[in-house]
Amino acid sequence: MQKIYFSSILLSLSLLGFSQIPNLPTREQPNPNTFQNYSDKNFVSPQKNKNIPALPSSFSNSNVSRIQQQNMAMVQNDFKRVEAEEGARNHQRYSNETQEQEGKTYLLNSLADKTGVKAYYTAFNNLSKFNPEDYSIADAVFIVENAYYNNDKNFQSTFQNGIQKAIKVIQSQIKNKNIDEDDNSSKNLAIFQYFADDTKQNGKVVHKAMKYDFDDYMGVKDYSKMFVSKLMKSNTGQCHSMPLLYLILAEQIGAEAFLVLSPNHSYIRYMDDTGEMQSLELTNGMFSANSFVLNSGYIKSEALQNKLYMQNLDKKQVLSQTFVDLASGYIHKFGYDEFVGQIINKALELNPNNINATLWKSNTDQIRFQEVCKRLGINYEDKQELQNIRNYPNLVGQLQEINNEFDKIDKSGFSIMPQEDYEQWLGSLSNAENKQKSEEIAERMRIINTQKQKEAQQKQKLKPNTPKKETPKVYTIPKAWL
């Protein structure tokens, strides 16, 4: 099968690949000419035996005491022992250096010398410090995007101010509608309205509804199109940035919401007052239904059984996806090296079912295999020439791992959704049937909210009007991440 996968919601890559080898070649004896000859290495000092003091000609002379003879013999033995130890150390050092050099042959070239890479190292270390069950999603998103901008101070203030501004608008709406602090459904609707409708205060529009950015929505030309910071700045975004901003705002006002993935897409769910999960499609400001997601035609039953899609992600799983975002930005900016594998392994540690992490791991392993083949003068696209990898056990192991990953991905239920099919499917949300379903759900939510507001007003009439003493939550980026 021809493979190189691409991250479905983040970045498309050119479909490079090589044919899977059904039966791995049997290993033949390596050609001796392809290996360095270590047998002629002299690890003992070239001055061997020259520094060892010779016994004087009078050593056996009876005039020399037995003690002097013993001392001289001990000195000779010490010199021999020291020289032998030095030879052993030199041999071990040479062996280690050789193994290290041979090991590098089978690894991707490091990109550590490129400008901006250190910012990603710092970001990875910072994300790794998070408690997966209790962390700030705003901080996690900031760390990822800040790494891309190489810790730019202007970006830091822009990101922080953007979130503060959004929270202020939403909290004002919550206060005006007398929404109770424990009313999770109404708080989610307040956030949803921030995305879907113009927000007015005192008859003036203070925030316009967010729009879908159809231009380069996968960030191929401009990767910043994927970012929450770009969404806050331009008020336009896509299915990656919009749900992340929603989660950030929900976290800041104390509302519970969930990130949900589907092929090439992500959206939001929350639980309403009746205990029913509502799906929010932020790209066009509509309520959605499971049937709409399934109608894409790219969700197999195996994918649902393996929990690839349509699952409410917990914070640990969201953090796993954040590591995928970090790797994606790094790949887009610099390319592949072993650091990508380190990031992806962390993502899979947090969520073994993360299909995007699995795809990036497969990509990384394939790129590594291709680079090593080129380094060894093997044309991996030629099946006949590919048989030469039998002389390199490490390379055979790499191909076995790649084929195992192909099988795992195929059995998971994953399938590639072409860009044109995704665009057509996303546009179908606005058809008459889906619009009607969305309007029915929205009307039901309005009726429930109206009733709750009436009940809240009646309660206020029955008890003294004592204003709540609340301290508005203000988001600030912790100094530890700057």
Side-chain angles (χ1 to χ4, degrees), residues 38-267:
Y38 304 126
S39 61
D40 60 352
K41 298 297 179 184
N42 183 3
F43 299 103
V44 182
S45 171
Q47 303 296 322
K48 182 178 181 181
N49 296 327
K50 289 186 179 181
N51 296 326
I52 301 176
L55 290 172
S57 58
S58 60
F59 181 77
S60 59
N61 194 305
S62 59
N63 295 329
V64 181
S65 70
R66 186 183 301 272
I67 294 177
Q68 287 177 315
Q69 294 177 25
Q70 290 176 345
N71 288 343
M72 186 60 69
M74 289 173 62
V75 170
Q76 269 198 328
N77 290 335
D78 285 343
F79 270 91
K80 289 180 180 180
R81 178 179 54 77
V82 169
E83 191 168 55
E85 290 175 353
E86 180 186 0
R89 283 194 298 270
N90 289 339
H91 183 279
Q92 186 61 49
R93 186 183 305 112
Y94 186 86
S95 177
N96 291 342
E97 290 173 356
T98 302
Q99 290 178 7
E100 182 180 355
Q101 190 59 39
E102 287 184 346
K104 288 181 179 178
T105 301
Y106 298 96
L107 298 177
L108 290 162
N109 290 327
S110 174
L111 302 172
D113 60 340
K114 290 185 176 293
T115 302
V117 166
K118 288 185 179 179
Y120 272 88
Y121 293 168
T122 300
F124 175 76
N125 290 334
N126 286 337
L127 286 178
S128 299
K129 295 175 184 176
F130 281 19
N131 178 350
E133 310 293 345
D134 183 20
Y135 66 93
S136 166
I137 295 176
D139 289 351
V141 172
F142 166 77
I143 287 172
V144 170
E145 298 186 10
N146 186 49
Y148 188 82
Y149 289 114
N150 198 18
N151 297 322
D152 181 80
K153 297 295 182 183
N154 292 329
F155 168 73
Q156 294 165 7
S157 60
T158 301
F159 185 90
Q160 181 173 276
N161 293 339
I163 293 179
Q164 290 176 351
K165 181 180 178 182
I167 295 171
K168 185 177 180 181
V169 172
I170 295 171
Q171 284 180 329
S172 178
Q173 294 298 100
I174 289 175
K175 183 178 180 180
N176 292 340
K177 294 179 180 180
N178 293 318
I179 294 175
D180 190 86
E181 182 65 26
D182 298 325
D183 190 345
N184 186 66
S185 180
S186 294
K187 288 199 289 188
N188 270 284
L189 287 174
I191 303 171
F192 184 43
Q193 288 172 351
Y194 177 82
F195 280 83
D197 303 322
D198 292 348
T199 304
K200 294 182 178 180
Q201 291 179 1
N202 300 322
K204 180 182 178 181
V205 176
V206 294
H207 174 73
K208 294 188 71 66
M210 292 182 167
K211 303 296 183 182
Y212 189 83
D213 187 356
F214 288 94
D215 180 33
D216 191 24
Y217 60 86
M218 295 190 76
V220 177
K221 299 176 183 177
D222 179 6
Y223 192 71
S224 69
K225 290 287 190 82
M226 310 298 295
F227 290 164
V228 168
S229 53
K230 181 267 177 187
L231 168 61
M232 293 190 294
K233 182 179 180 180
S234 66
N235 217 40
T236 61
Q238 27 72 304
C239 68
H240 177 257
S241 57
M242 286 181 165
L244 283 180
L245 178 58
Y246 190 105
L247 288 181
I248 289 172
L249 299 178
E251 178 183 69
Q252 294 298 307
I253 68 169
E256 184 181 57
F258 301 96
L259 180 68
V260 187
L261 302 181
S262 66
N264 291 23
H265 196 64
S266 63
Y267 57 101

Side-chain angles (χ1 to χ4, degrees), residues 319-333:
L319 184 58
S320 170
Q321 190 60 36
T322 303
F323 276 100
V324 172
D325 289 350
L326 185 70
S328 301
Y330 184 91
I331 293 167
H332 187 276
K333 196 169 183 179

Side-chain angles (χ1 to χ4, degrees), residues 425-440:
W425 168 75
L426 192 62
S428 70
L429 184 60
S430 300
N431 66 26
E433 180 182 357
N434 288 322
K435 266 190 173 180
Q436 183 178 351
K437 288 181 179 178
S438 175
E439 289 171 358
E440 289 174 357

